[in-house]
Amino acid sequence: MTKKNIYLITGTSRGIGEGIAEALLAPNNHLICFSRSINHDLRQKAKAAGVELDYNTIDLSKPAQSAELFREILEDIAPESIASITLIHNAGALEPLAPVGREKDLSKIGQSLNVNLTTPIVTSEVFVSVVQNWAIDKKILLISSGAGIHPYHAWSMYCSAKAGLEMFARCLSLEQSTEDQPVKVVALAPGVVDTSMQDFLRTLSEDTFHQVQRFKDLKANDQLWSPAFVGGEIRKLLERPDFGSEVRLDLRDLV
Ligand SMILES: NC(=O)c1ccc[n+]([C@@H]2O[C@H](COP(=O)([O-])OP(=O)(O)OC[C@H]3O[C@@H](n4cnc5c(N)ncnc54)[C@H](OP(=O)(O)O)[C@@H]3O)[C@@H](O)[C@H]2O)c1
């Protein structure tokens, strides 16, 4: 029997995560998806293509529950029965969007950091602890953002989380460089992509988000990539033999 490639992908209900999952719908792959709502369309497409796909509904702003679910799933896998395993942290949220000092609901700050940073870290922790000695190809892809490097007005939570995610990727990559069976890791900025995250951004006032006009112009000038295109490019990146040789990548430099 042909050994399968397993992909654990977060945030597959829409947007970039859906694009990545659709690009990976190939018979030799087994997709394990995570988001709060089920993507029925994706499940139908997987069924039609004869691809094994499991869908888990989970709120990734809850790190402990997320870690527990990932551990259950990973500990159920027999490493000798698979060809490779890849963890793709794509789920993310921009909110709360407000300049520091103007965010009234402090609980939203914790939720934002959880979904964008803490849960990717704790589930990567679980992933590495379970798969470290598996003698197969192992990868982690963290979907970051230009906001991990560039500050944006009103985005301090999101920018801080993405910067943290990128440093986490660098530390993990450094540690793995001395392992016998290393996990390869990349943090990728995906470019500006036509998703509901961008739809939401364009509804903001200039007072809330000073750079809103730039994003309106990108849409008006047809300069957004489609999630399907980005998904296809991410599949190509995952297939590259040198995946992980550079930890921080921007998709705009690769296509
Ligand atoms: N679009 C862009 O231009 C752009 C640019 C740079 C970086 N990115 C990054 O790309 C990634 C995907 O963004 P996108 O534009 O595709 O966003 P999107 O259209 O808003 O989709 C976000 C995905 O994340 C999931 N998600 C959000 N909060 C969650 C939670 N608490 N628990 C579980 N799942 C959750 C959503 O699923 P549910 O709502 O069903 O839970 C959805 O599937 C994010 O990490 C984002 O930061 C996007």
Side-chain angles (χ1 to χ4, degrees), residues 175-244:
E175 291 170 2
Q176 290 296 312
S177 67
T178 54
E179 287 289 335
D180 292 338
Q181 307 277 355
V183 177
K184 298 174 196 160
V185 57
V186 165
L188 176 77
V192 189
V193 191
D194 204 356
T195 67
S196 59
M197 192 178 271
Q198 289 290 325
D199 294 343
F200 166 70
L201 262 188
R202 292 192 303 273
T203 66
L204 298 170
S205 68
E206 259 185 49
D207 182 44
T208 307
F209 176 44
H210 287 183
Q211 287 119 312
V212 66
Q213 192 57 45
R214 182 185 152 228
F215 288 88
K216 286 182 178 171
D217 291 345
L218 285 171
K219 175 70 174 174
N221 297 327
D222 214 13
Q223 286 174 305
L224 301 185
W225 277 338
S226 73
F229 172 76
V230 170
E233 292 302 317
I234 288 177
R235 183 182 52 75
K236 286 187 213 164
L237 169 66
L238 290 166
E239 286 168 356
R240 275 169 53 161
D242 64 346
F243 180 94

Side-chain angles (χ1 to χ4, degrees), residues 11 13-14 16 36-37 59-60 90 158 162 193 195-196 198:
S13 60
R14 57 179 187 270
I16 296 172
R36 286 167 300 187
S37 48
D59 183 351
L60 296 165
N90 160 79
Y158 182 75
K162 292 298 190 185
V193 191
T195 67
S196 59
Q198 289 290 325

Side-chain angles (χ1 to χ4, degrees), residues 10 46 48 67 109 131 156:
T10 68
I109 292 176
V131 311
S156 61

Side-chain angles (χ1 to χ4, degrees), residues 11 52 55 72 74 80 86 131 133 165 183 198 219 251:
E52 199 176 348
Y55 215 105
E72 265 171 35
L74 289 163
E80 57 285 355
T86 303
V131 311
N133 296 319
L165 206 55
V183 177
Q198 289 290 325
K219 175 70 174 174
L251 203 56

